Amino acid sequence: MKKVTYTRIDLSCTLQQVGETNSKCLRGILSQDGDRTFRFEETISKGRSPLNPKLYDGKYLSMVRRQNGKYQFHMKALADGFDKEKLPHAIYSEVSAALQILD
């Protein structure tokens, strides 16, 4: 995953409902209109949205953001014949990569 940070940008948002959006996950499209101008448009929800959207999905674990704003890791089932010596380092690497998203 390539991470790009833009500073001093103008962001305009088109939301489906007016109200408090802090600590709420929104689904939509983020597009770049100019050099430092971005636009977010919330999509119309069809049915129920997922309770905890995935922020990171790796080989051994995934990270979600819960509705209360807290982050949670989920271990995946291990396939037969996994390397017991390399597993702890692989999990540590994935946790580190997932936490980089929060910066």
Side-chain angles (χ1 to χ4, degrees):
M1 175 185 296
K2 182 179 177 185
K3 185 175 181 179
V4 179
T5 303
Y6 295 95
T7 57
R8 297 185 181 138
I9 65 167
D10 291 322
L11 175 65
S12 61
C13 298
T14 304
L15 304 177
Q16 296 297 326
Q17 295 179 351
V18 177
E20 186 68 29
T21 58
N22 292 343
S23 299
K24 181 180 176 188
C25 293
L26 301 174
R27 291 186 172 267
I29 300 169
L30 183 65
S31 57
Q32 189 171 3
D33 291 339
D35 186 36
R36 295 280 183 227
T37 306
F38 291 84
R39 177 172 188 75
F40 175 79
E41 296 177 275
E42 183 184 10
T43 58
I44 297 173
S45 61
K46 293 182 179 179
R48 192 183 91 167
S49 64
L51 291 179
N52 301 321
K54 285 186 182 178
L55 299 176
Y56 177 83
D57 191 20
K59 181 177 179 181
Y60 298 106
L61 59 90
S62 61
M63 183 176 72
V64 298
R65 183 173 183 272
R66 297 175 51 132
Q67 295 297 314
N68 62 5
K70 295 182 180 181
Y71 299 97
Q72 184 174 23
F73 288 102
H74 295 264
M75 287 293 300
K76 295 184 177 181
L78 298 174
D80 292 335
F82 64 91
D83 189 348
K84 294 176 186 176
E85 298 295 322
K86 294 181 181 179
L87 181 64
H89 185 267
I91 292 172
Y92 171 78
S93 298
E94 287 196 11
V95 169
S96 296
L99 293 175
Q100 293 298 318
I101 295 172
L102 303 180
D103 288 341

